Amino acid sequence: MPGDTRKLDQNPDENAFASQEIKAIDMGMPRPWRIGLRLLQKEQRLIFDMDGPMVVGRMEEHDNIFPDIDLGPYNADELGVSRQHLTLKLDGDRIVASDSGSRNGTLLNGERLEPNTDYLIRDGDEITLGLMRLKIELLVNPFN
């Protein structure tokens, strides 16, 4: 049919048409934030899209704790990262972080965070969870 998108095999069955699913980005909605967490001790970087609150910590399967960003594979337990250590969230056009009452605390650029208090995050900030040092990279800011 004219105007329809078809798969390359051109089979006439009903599965031959490409998905018509419309994503939010296709409708002109802003892209999500794209964040990089550089693990300074490991020289590795985790990249994720953020469009809502995200918990950073380490997974404990037997306790049914599954943070959005699991630092467990990077020796998080040995470095004092709590299961639900830090929450990153959106505050209008900014990103804020709050320590979730972690046992070993959180530092933002060397300053200790008060638990359950929001702190503005900027590109290049260094966050220390227990003894694990992370550098924040704001890769895509949907508001710029």
Side-chain angles (χ1 to χ4, degrees), residues 54-59 65-71 76-77 79-88 97-108 112-117 127-134:
M54 299 189 83
V55 175
V56 181
R58 58 183 173 82
M59 182 177 73
I65 297 174
F66 302 97
D68 299 299
I69 302 167
D70 180 21
L71 299 174
D77 188 24
L79 293 171
V81 176
S82 296
R83 293 173 184 92
Q84 297 177 345
H85 199 110
L86 181 81
T87 301
L88 296 172
S98 65
D99 179 275
S100 302
S102 65
R103 176 173 294 195
N104 293 311
T106 301
L107 302 177
L108 174 61
R112 183 162 297 280
L113 301 186
E114 291 294 321
N116 304 306
T117 302
I127 292 183
T128 306
L129 310 177
L131 297 174
M132 181 179 276
R133 293 176 38 236
L134 307 167

Side-chain angles (χ1 to χ4, degrees), residues 2-131:
D4 288 331
T5 303
R6 293 184 177 270
K7 293 181 180 177
L8 292 176
D9 63 6
Q10 297 291 321
N11 288 338
D13 65 1
E14 70 263 6
N15 294 327
F17 295 97
S19 169
Q20 297 297 316
E21 179 183 349
I22 298 175
K23 296 179 175 54
I25 199 156
D26 298 330
M27 295 187 308
M29 295 179 76
R31 293 181 180 274
W33 283 87
R34 177 154 292 168
I35 310 288
L37 289 179
R38 185 174 300 279
L39 289 84
L40 296 177
Q41 288 106 324
K42 298 284 185 182
E43 286 302 318
Q44 292 180 319
R45 184 167 74 169
L46 306 173
I47 297 175
F48 56 93
D49 288 340
M50 182 176 156
D51 57 6
M54 299 189 83
V55 175
V56 181
R58 58 183 173 82
M59 182 177 73
E60 279 293 333
E61 196 168 343
H62 66 276
D63 289 335
N64 278 340
I65 297 174
F66 302 97
D68 299 299
I69 302 167
D70 180 21
L71 299 174
Y74 309 99
N75 299 328
D77 188 24
E78 294 85 8
L79 293 171
V81 176
S82 296
R83 293 173 184 92
Q84 297 177 345
H85 199 110
L86 181 81
T87 301
L88 296 172
K89 37 189 179 178
L90 302 172
D91 180 22
D93 62 351
R94 310 175 312 166
I95 294 181
V96 296
S98 65
D99 179 275
S100 302
S102 65
R103 176 173 294 195
N104 293 311
T106 301
L107 302 177
L108 174 61
N109 298 321
E111 300 286 325
R112 183 162 297 280
L113 301 186
E114 291 294 321
N116 304 306
T117 302
D118 291 342
Y119 292 84
L120 179 64
I121 296 297
R122 294 186 177 96
D123 185 50
D125 281 348
E126 186 175 308
I127 292 183
T128 306
L129 310 177
L131 297 174

